Amino acid sequence: MLVLGIECTCDDAGCAIVRDGCEILSNVVSSQVDLHKMYGGVIPELACRRHVDTLLLVIEEALRIAEVSFSDIDLIAVAQGPGLIGALFIGLAVAKALSVAYQIPFIGVNHIEAHFYAAYMSSKTTSFPALGVVLSGGHTSLFLIKELGFYEKIGETVDDAIGEAFDKVAKMLNLPYPGGPEIEKLALLGNKKRFSFKGGRIKNKNFDFSFSGLKTAVLYQIAREKQMAEDHILSLETKRDIAASFQESALTYTVNKVIQAAHTYQVTTILLGGGVTHNRRLRELFTLTDATLDYRWPGEGLSLDNGAMIAGLAYHKYQFQKKGDSLNLEPSLHASL
Ligand code: KG4
Ligand code: ZN
């Protein structure tokens, strides 16, 4: 079964052609980083205007690379949400229009579920139950995966998402957007022990996350360091040490929670997804903290937002419901699965 998957939930427009849930024939992503960089974050109105200009071109390119046409496609899938409302509307409108024009069933899938499905489709031999972990710019969520399609949410962030915290700290250090990769680069040469920043504690809710306290601690430290500097400008060394110390505390806090959840729920397989899984120190810390667990990472091109994870997941959803969704399907802003 050939599925065309559309991802248009934030600032990237993606389209992929995937056979039977895992064989990726093409996976095209048009990034908007150039557009939003000068503002230090995503401007929703600009993102939507760019999607209107590029989404159809991205779809054409995905078909061209896969060497297929609409007559070969069995299902059109789209990320229904959560995401930016305007972007979701554009993705859904395009998917529905193509479905009507070419008489192909259409289906909406959850963006968060698709992120941990990305790790599943990359490894194939996953056994359930497993833990699903999404660490992205918009979400930090933990799910117990009983089997594909059956989930129990066991934790989420109560304020900023982990990627958002990376982006905000990067902005405080005058680094370009998106900040995650910039912090990681800067941290490589920094002293992670120089500052002690602490991840937030959540009363009674073991597996929820909080990053806003950590972010504020960094903000105050930057102000103190600037005050102490003769020219009131951060030295490169201090910037590096702040990046390294922040990264280490954000990641250690996250890794410990995830591993604790795996032990509590007695699962050994962990599917991880979302842009922050690009971070090498994150991967290293997981293995250093508990090498007995089986970590499954998204393959090449599957960490950040992409159409392949949407097409792959839609294949299973379609097998399960045995029909497409109604054309009345609306964007969904909720992460619930
Ligand atoms: O999954 P994604 O494309 O978007 C959402 O669905 O939100 O993730 C983007 C996020 C951004 O916040 C970006 O800074 C972060 O992933 N990110 C990283 C790294 N690469 C991307 N964070 C930390 N380290 C990285 N190497
Ligand atoms: Zn995403």
Side-chain angles (χ1 to χ4, degrees):
M1 181 175 191
L2 271 192
V3 184
L4 180 149
I6 298 170
E7 213 309 326
C8 183
T9 57
C10 188
D11 59 334
D12 290 328
C15 180
I17 313 294
V18 176
R19 180 176 283 129
D20 297 339
C22 60
E23 189 191 339
I24 301 171
L25 306 190
S26 63
N27 187 18
V28 179
V29 178
S30 167
S31 163
Q32 297 187 359
V33 167
D34 61 315
L35 180 65
H36 303 288
K37 212 167 191 152
M38 71 174 104
Y39 304 103
V42 176
I43 308 293
E45 176 66 24
L46 295 182
C48 292
R49 288 180 194 200
R50 178 71 72 86
H51 284 320
V52 169
D53 291 340
T54 56
L55 188 53
L56 287 177
L57 299 175
V58 169
I59 294 170
E60 277 172 6
E61 183 69 356
L63 289 164
R64 192 189 64 74
I65 293 172
E67 298 181 358
V68 295
S69 65
F70 275 108
S71 59
D72 302 307
I73 301 293
D74 301 300
L75 179 67
I76 292 175
V78 66
Q80 186 196 353
L84 289 180
I85 186 69
L88 296 175
F89 265 117
I90 293 166
L92 261 108
V94 168
K96 289 176 186 176
L98 293 173
S99 161
V100 172
Y102 293 100
Q103 294 290 296
I104 302 170
F106 124 98
I107 206 161
V109 301
N110 184 288
H111 174 192
I112 306 296
E113 184 181 3
H115 268 304
F116 55 73
Y117 180 79
Y120 174 85
M121 79 191 285
S122 307
S123 61
K124 297 186 181 98
T125 55
T126 304
S127 61
F128 295 114
L131 204 62
V133 183
V134 177
L135 305 173
S136 75
H139 302 277
T140 307
S141 317
L142 283 186
F143 289 91
L144 178 66
I145 311 174
K146 295 169 185 169
E147 56 184 282
L148 271 191
F150 295 89
Y151 310 103
E152 178 188 335
K153 192 194 303 173
I154 57 177
E156 64 186 336
T157 181
V158 296
D159 40 56
D160 291 342
I162 180 169
E164 195 180 354
F166 269 81
D167 294 336
K168 287 178 178 169
V169 168
K171 205 168 177 180
M172 293 175 204
L173 294 172
N174 288 326
L175 300 170
Y177 175 85
E182 301 292 330
I183 295 271
E184 182 176 13
K185 235 187 290 165
L186 202 60
L188 281 177
L189 297 170
N191 172 4
K192 55 181 182 291
K193 297 197 175 131
R194 176 160 161 204
F195 303 105
S196 135
F197 300 126
K198 293 263 178 300
R201 278 162 194 261
I202 313 285
K203 275 191 193 153
N204 306 327
K205 293 277 276 184
N206 271 350
F207 302 121
D208 277 346
F209 297 82
S210 165
F211 292 97
S212 75
L214 177 59
K215 188 190 65 188
T216 310
V218 175
L219 183 71
Y220 287 151
Q221 192 66 45
I222 290 176
R224 272 195 295 274
E225 294 299 321
K226 279 187 177 164
Q227 222 169 23
M228 285 190 293
E230 256 177 44
D231 48 6
H232 298 301
I233 294 175
L234 294 181
S235 67
L236 180 58
E237 190 190 353
T238 299
K239 277 188 167 190
R240 284 175 174 157
D241 294 348
I242 289 176
S245 304
F246 159 75
Q247 173 176 271
E248 196 66 9
S249 21
L251 298 183
T252 308
Y253 169 71
T254 306
V255 164
N256 287 342
K257 283 233 176 207
V258 171
I259 289 177
Q260 198 191 342
H263 291 162
T264 303
Y265 286 89
Q266 298 181 333
V267 295
T268 50
T269 304
I270 306 186
L271 301 177
L272 296 110
V276 181
T277 62
H278 260 308
N279 191 294
R280 279 165 200 238
R281 182 65 183 152
L282 175 82
R283 296 186 182 211
E284 190 177 56
L285 273 173
F286 267 116
T287 321
L288 287 174
T289 312
D290 190 339
T292 66
L293 295 171
D294 179 10
Y295 305 105
R296 304 291 175 97
W297 301 97
E300 184 73 27
L302 300 179
S303 293
L304 297 166
D305 289 344
N306 66 86
M309 63 185 189
I310 304 299
L313 176 61
Y315 164 79
H316 295 277
K317 193 173 170 194
Y318 190 74
Q319 303 292 319
F320 184 74
Q321 25 179 90
K322 299 194 167 53
K323 62 180 173 66
D325 283 330
S326 145
L327 289 173
N328 293 326
L329 192 79
E330 297 279 358
S332 149
L333 292 180
H334 304 291
S336 57
L337 294 176

Coordinates of all heavy atoms in Angstrom, one line a residue, residues 247-298:
Q247 N 22.7 22.6 29.1 CA 22.4 21.4 28.3 C 22.5 20.2 29.2 O 21.6 19.3 29.2 CB 23.4 21.2 27.1 CG 23.2 19.9 26.4 CD 24.1 19.8 25.2 OE1 23.7 20.1 24.1 NE2 25.3 19.2 25.4
E248 N 23.5 20.1 30.0 CA 23.7 19.0 30.9 C 22.5 18.8 31.9 O 22.0 17.7 32.1 CB 25.0 19.1 31.7 CG 25.5 17.8 32.3 CD 25.9 16.7 31.3 OE1 26.0 17.0 30.1 OE2 26.2 15.6 31.8
S249 N 22.1 20.0 32.5 CA 21.0 19.8 33.4 C 19.7 19.5 32.7 O 18.9 18.6 33.2 CB 20.8 21.0 34.4 OG 21.4 22.1 33.9
A250 N 19.4 20.1 31.6 CA 18.1 19.8 30.9 C 18.1 18.3 30.5 O 17.1 17.6 30.7 CB 18.0 20.7 29.7
L251 N 19.2 17.8 30.0 CA 19.2 16.5 29.5 C 19.3 15.4 30.6 O 18.6 14.4 30.5 CB 20.4 16.3 28.5 CG 20.4 17.1 27.3 CD1 21.6 16.8 26.4 CD2 19.1 17.0 26.5
T252 N 20.1 15.7 31.7 CA 20.1 14.8 32.8 C 18.7 14.6 33.4 O 18.3 13.5 33.7 CB 21.1 15.2 33.8 OG1 22.3 15.5 33.2 CG2 21.4 14.2 34.9
Y253 N 18.1 15.7 33.6 CA 16.7 15.8 34.2 C 15.8 14.9 33.4 O 15.0 14.1 33.9 CB 16.3 17.2 34.2 CG 14.9 17.5 34.6 CD1 14.4 17.3 35.8 CD2 14.0 18.0 33.6 CE1 13.1 17.6 36.1 CE2 12.7 18.4 33.9 CZ 12.2 18.1 35.2 OH 10.9 18.4 35.4
T254 N 15.8 15.1 32.0 CA 14.9 14.4 31.1 C 15.3 12.9 31.1 O 14.4 12.0 31.2 CB 15.1 15.0 29.7 OG1 14.9 16.4 29.8 CG2 14.1 14.4 28.7
V255 N 16.5 12.6 31.0 CA 17.0 11.2 30.9 C 16.6 10.4 32.2 O 16.0 9.3 32.1 CB 18.5 11.1 30.7 CG1 19.1 9.7 31.0 CG2 18.8 11.6 29.2
N256 N 16.8 11.1 33.3 CA 16.5 10.4 34.6 C 15.0 10.1 34.7 O 14.6 9.0 35.1 CB 16.9 11.2 35.8 CG 18.4 11.2 36.0 OD1 19.1 10.3 35.4 ND2 19.0 12.2 36.7
K257 N 14.2 11.1 34.3 CA 12.7 10.9 34.3 C 12.3 9.7 33.4 O 11.5 8.9 33.8 CB 12.0 12.1 33.8 CG 11.9 13.2 34.8 CD 10.5 13.7 35.1 CE 10.6 14.8 36.1 NZ 9.4 14.9 36.9
V258 N 12.8 9.7 32.2 CA 12.4 8.7 31.3 C 12.8 7.3 31.8 O 12.0 6.3 31.8 CB 13.0 9.0 29.9 CG1 12.8 7.8 28.9 CG2 12.5 10.2 29.3
I259 N 14.0 7.2 32.3 CA 14.5 5.9 32.8 C 13.7 5.4 34.0 O 13.3 4.3 34.1 CB 16.0 6.0 33.0 CG1 16.7 6.0 31.7 CG2 16.5 4.7 33.8 CD1 18.2 6.2 31.7
Q260 N 13.4 6.4 34.9 CA 12.6 6.1 36.0 C 11.2 5.6 35.6 O 10.7 4.6 36.1 CB 12.4 7.4 36.9 CG 12.0 7.2 38.3 CD 11.6 8.5 38.9 OE1 12.0 9.6 38.4 NE2 10.9 8.4 40.0
A261 N 10.6 6.2 34.6 CA 9.3 5.8 34.0 C 9.4 4.4 33.5 O 8.5 3.5 33.7 CB 8.8 6.8 33.0
A262 N 10.5 4.1 32.8 CA 10.7 2.7 32.2 C 10.7 1.7 33.3 O 10.1 0.6 33.2 CB 12.0 2.7 31.4
H263 N 11.4 2.0 34.4 CA 11.5 1.0 35.5 C 10.1 0.9 36.2 O 9.7 -0.2 36.4 CB 12.5 1.5 36.5 CG 13.9 1.4 35.9 ND1 15.0 2.0 36.5 CD2 14.4 0.7 34.9 CE1 16.1 1.7 35.8 NE2 15.8 0.9 34.8
T264 N 9.5 2.0 36.4 CA 8.2 2.0 37.1 C 7.2 1.1 36.3 O 6.4 0.3 36.8 CB 7.6 3.4 37.3 OG1 8.6 4.1 38.0 CG2 6.3 3.4 38.0
Y265 N 7.1 1.3 35.0 CA 6.2 0.6 34.1 C 6.7 -0.7 33.6 O 6.1 -1.4 32.8 CB 5.7 1.6 33.0 CG 4.8 2.6 33.5 CD1 5.2 3.8 33.9 CD2 3.4 2.4 33.5 CE1 4.4 4.8 34.4 CE2 2.5 3.4 34.0 CZ 3.0 4.6 34.5 OH 2.2 5.5 35.0
Q266 N 7.9 -1.0 34.0 CA 8.6 -2.3 33.6 C 8.6 -2.5 32.1 O 8.2 -3.6 31.6 CB 7.9 -3.5 34.3 CG 8.0 -3.3 35.8 CD 7.3 -4.4 36.6 OE1 6.4 -5.0 36.1 NE2 7.8 -4.7 37.8
V267 N 9.1 -1.5 31.4 CA 9.3 -1.7 30.0 C 10.8 -1.6 29.7 O 11.5 -0.8 30.4 CB 8.5 -0.7 29.1 CG1 7.0 -0.9 29.3 CG2 8.9 0.8 29.4
T268 N 11.2 -2.3 28.7 CA 12.7 -2.2 28.4 C 12.9 -1.5 27.1 O 14.0 -1.1 26.8 CB 13.3 -3.6 28.4 OG1 12.5 -4.4 27.5 CG2 13.4 -4.2 29.7
T269 N 11.9 -1.3 26.2 CA 12.1 -0.7 24.9 C 11.6 0.7 25.0 O 10.5 1.0 25.5 CB 11.3 -1.5 23.8 OG1 11.7 -2.8 23.9 CG2 11.5 -0.9 22.5
I270 N 12.4 1.6 24.5 CA 12.0 3.1 24.5 C 12.1 3.6 23.1 O 13.2 3.6 22.5 CB 12.9 3.9 25.5 CG1 12.9 3.2 26.9 CG2 12.5 5.3 25.6 CD1 13.6 3.9 28.0
L271 N 11.0 4.1 22.6 CA 11.0 4.8 21.3 C 11.0 6.3 21.5 O 10.2 6.9 22.1 CB 9.7 4.4 20.6 CG 9.3 3.0 20.3 CD1 7.9 2.9 19.6 CD2 10.4 2.4 19.4
L272 N 12.1 6.9 20.9 CA 12.2 8.3 21.1 C 12.1 9.1 19.8 O 12.5 8.6 18.7 CB 13.6 8.6 21.7 CG 13.8 8.0 23.1 CD1 14.8 6.9 23.0 CD2 14.3 9.1 24.1
G273 N 11.4 10.3 19.9 CA 11.3 11.1 18.6 C 11.3 12.5 18.9 O 11.3 13.0 20.1
G274 N 11.3 13.3 17.8 CA 11.3 14.8 18.0 C 12.7 15.4 17.8 O 13.7 14.6 17.9
G275 N 12.8 16.7 17.4 CA 14.0 17.3 17.1 C 15.2 17.2 18.1 O 16.3 17.1 17.7
V276 N 14.8 17.1 19.4 CA 15.9 17.1 20.4 C 16.6 15.8 20.4 O 17.8 15.7 20.9 CB 15.3 17.5 21.8 CG1 16.4 17.5 22.8 CG2 14.6 18.8 21.7
T277 N 16.0 14.7 19.8 CA 16.7 13.4 19.7 C 18.0 13.5 18.8 O 18.8 12.6 18.8 CB 15.8 12.3 19.3 OG1 15.4 12.6 18.0 CG2 14.6 12.1 20.2
H278 N 18.1 14.6 18.1 CA 19.4 14.8 17.3 C 20.6 15.0 18.2 O 21.7 14.8 17.8 CB 19.2 16.2 16.6 CG 18.8 16.0 15.1 ND1 19.5 15.2 14.3 CD2 17.8 16.6 14.4 CE1 18.9 15.2 13.1 NE2 17.9 16.1 13.2
N279 N 20.3 15.4 19.5 CA 21.4 15.8 20.3 C 22.2 14.6 20.8 O 21.7 13.6 21.3 CB 20.8 16.5 21.6 CG 21.8 17.1 22.4 OD1 22.7 16.4 23.0 ND2 21.8 18.4 22.5
R280 N 23.5 14.6 20.5 CA 24.4 13.5 20.7 C 24.6 13.2 22.2 O 24.7 12.1 22.7 CB 25.8 13.7 20.1 CG 25.8 13.4 18.7 CD 27.0 14.0 18.0 NE 26.7 14.0 16.6 CZ 27.4 13.4 15.6 NH1 28.4 12.8 15.9 NH2 27.0 13.5 14.4
R281 N 24.7 14.3 23.0 CA 24.9 14.2 24.4 C 23.7 13.5 25.0 O 23.8 12.7 26.0 CB 25.1 15.6 25.1 CG 25.4 15.5 26.5 CD 26.7 14.8 26.9 NE 26.8 14.8 28.4 CZ 27.5 13.8 29.0 NH1 28.1 12.8 28.3 NH2 27.6 13.8 30.3
L282 N 22.5 13.7 24.5 CA 21.3 13.1 25.0 C 21.4 11.6 24.8 O 21.2 10.8 25.8 CB 20.0 13.6 24.2 CG 18.7 12.9 24.6 CD1 18.1 13.4 25.9 CD2 17.7 13.0 23.5
R283 N 21.8 11.2 23.6 CA 21.9 9.7 23.3 C 23.0 9.1 24.2 O 22.8 8.0 24.8 CB 22.2 9.5 21.9 CG 21.1 10.0 21.0 CD 21.4 9.7 19.5 NE 20.3 10.2 18.7 CZ 19.9 9.7 17.6 NH1 20.5 8.6 17.1 NH2 18.9 10.2 16.8
E284 N 24.1 9.8 24.4 CA 25.2 9.3 25.3 C 24.7 9.2 26.7 O 25.0 8.1 27.4 CB 26.3 10.3 25.2 CG 27.6 9.9 25.8 CD 28.6 11.0 25.5 OE1 28.4 12.2 25.9 OE2 29.7 10.8 24.9
L285 N 24.0 10.2 27.2 CA 23.5 10.1 28.6 C 22.6 9.0 28.9 O 22.6 8.4 29.9 CB 22.8 11.5 29.0 CG 23.7 12.6 29.4 CD1 22.9 13.9 29.6 CD2 24.4 12.2 30.8
F286 N 21.7 8.7 27.9 CA 20.8 7.5 28.1 C 21.6 6.3 28.3 O 21.4 5.5 29.3 CB 19.9 7.4 26.9 CG 18.6 8.1 27.1 CD1 18.2 9.2 26.2 CD2 17.7 7.7 28.1 CE1 17.0 9.8 26.4 CE2 16.4 8.4 28.2 CZ 16.1 9.4 27.4
T287 N 22.6 6.0 27.5 CA 23.4 4.8 27.6 C 24.2 4.8 28.8 O 24.3 3.8 29.5 CB 24.2 4.6 26.3 OG1 23.5 5.1 25.2 CG2 24.6 3.2 26.1
L288 N 24.8 6.0 29.1 CA 25.6 6.0 30.3 C 24.8 5.8 31.6 O 25.2 5.1 32.6 CB 26.3 7.4 30.5 CG 27.4 7.7 29.5 CD1 27.9 9.2 29.6 CD2 28.6 6.8 29.8
T289 N 23.5 6.2 31.6 CA 22.7 6.1 32.8 C 22.1 4.7 32.9 O 22.1 4.2 34.0 CB 21.6 7.2 32.8 OG1 22.1 8.4 32.4 CG2 20.9 7.3 34.1
D290 N 21.7 4.1 31.9 CA 21.2 2.8 31.9 C 21.4 2.0 30.6 O 20.6 2.2 29.7 CB 19.7 2.7 32.3 CG 19.2 1.3 32.6 OD1 19.9 0.4 32.2 OD2 18.2 1.2 33.3
A291 N 22.4 1.3 30.5 CA 22.8 0.6 29.3 C 22.0 -0.6 29.0 O 22.1 -1.3 28.0 CB 24.3 0.3 29.3
T292 N 21.1 -1.0 30.0 CA 20.4 -2.3 29.9 C 19.1 -2.0 29.1 O 18.5 -3.0 28.6 CB 20.0 -2.9 31.2 OG1 19.1 -2.0 31.9 CG2 21.2 -3.1 32.1
L293 N 18.7 -0.8 28.9 CA 17.4 -0.5 28.2 C 17.7 -0.4 26.7 O 18.8 -0.1 26.3 CB 16.8 0.9 28.7 CG 16.3 0.8 30.2 CD1 16.0 2.2 30.6 CD2 15.2 -0.1 30.3
D294 N 16.6 -0.7 25.9 CA 16.8 -0.8 24.5 C 16.2 0.5 23.9 O 15.0 0.7 23.8 CB 16.0 -2.0 24.0 CG 16.0 -2.2 22.5 OD1 16.8 -1.5 21.9 OD2 15.2 -3.0 22.1
Y295 N 17.1 1.5 23.5 CA 16.7 2.8 23.0 C 16.6 2.7 21.5 O 17.5 2.3 20.8 CB 17.7 3.9 23.4 CG 18.0 3.9 24.8 CD1 19.2 3.4 25.4 CD2 17.1 4.4 25.7 CE1 19.4 3.4 26.7 CE2 17.3 4.5 27.1 CZ 18.5 4.0 27.6 OH 18.7 4.0 28.9
R296 N 15.4 3.1 21.0 CA 15.2 3.2 19.5 C 15.1 4.6 19.1 O 14.2 5.4 19.5 CB 13.9 2.4 19.2 CG 13.9 1.0 19.7 CD 14.9 0.1 18.9 NE 14.9 -1.2 19.5 CZ 14.3 -2.3 19.0 NH1 13.5 -2.1 17.9 NH2 14.5 -3.4 19.5
W297 N 16.0 5.0 18.2 CA 16.1 6.4 17.7 C 15.5 6.5 16.3 O 15.6 5.6 15.5 CB 17.5 6.8 17.7 CG 18.1 6.7 19.1 CD1 18.9 5.7 19.6 CD2 18.0 7.7 20.2 NE1 19.3 6.0 20.9 CE2 18.7 7.2 21.3 CE3 17.4 8.9 20.3 CZ2 18.8 7.8 22.5 CZ3 17.5 9.6 21.5 CH2 18.2 9.1 22.6
P298 N 15.0 7.7 15.9 CA 14.5 7.9 14.6 C 15.7 7.8 13.6 O 16.8 8.3 13.9 CB 13.9 9.3 14.6 CG 13.9 9.7 16.0 CD 14.8 8.9 16.8

